[in-house]
Amino acid sequence: QVQLVESGGGLVQAGGSLRLSCVASGRPFATHAMGWFRQAPGKERELVATISSGGSTYYGDAVKGRVTISRDYGKNTLYLQMYSLKPEDTAVYYCASSPYMTWGTRTSDYDYWGQGTQVSVSS
């Protein structure tokens, strides 16, 4: 059974930074693409960033230039470093694992999800 456990969320002031982590277990971390999505109240879940098994990345337009996705193969851990946070970044952030090696931008490209971690940005 694949498990994804996120951590690192919290309350931060606008302009601040946060680093989210996601520890994955249950299938080979190195051969699956991973992603970060977020969902704000009343809105659809949207892509933040995704990374292939080989490390190539893609970022959503709303966060491009303000976040960096990375993965540590030795620790089976996915990271999302966020900078220059804005109040509109407030959402629950979810880690996701794909059955594929190449990254995907749709929620349907992923088959396992973490429980989510809340990020709140105050103005």
Side-chain angles (χ1 to χ4, degrees), residues 97-110:
S97 177
S98 172
Y100 313 114
M101 297 177 70
T102 54
W103 52 254
T105 61
R106 303 167 299 178
T107 56
S108 58
D109 292 327
Y110 299 83

Side-chain angles (χ1 to χ4, degrees), residues 20 22 75 83 99 108 110:
L20 306 183
C22 171
K75 295 182 179 180
Y83 311 89
S108 58
Y110 299 83

Side-chain angles (χ1 to χ4, degrees), residues 6-30:
E6 301 105 331
S7 61
L11 175 64
V12 63
Q13 289 188 330
S17 301
L18 275 178
R19 187 176 81 157
L20 306 183
S21 301
C22 171
V23 178
S25 62
R27 69 183 179 191
F29 182 73

Side-chain angles (χ1 to χ4, degrees), residues 47-50 57-70 80-81 103:
L47 175 74
V48 177
T50 176
T57 59
Y58 179 88
Y59 295 94
D61 289 340
V63 300
K64 199 172 294 183
R66 298 190 297 116
V67 306
T68 301
I69 188 171
S70 61
L80 184 71
Q81 178 69 56
W103 52 254

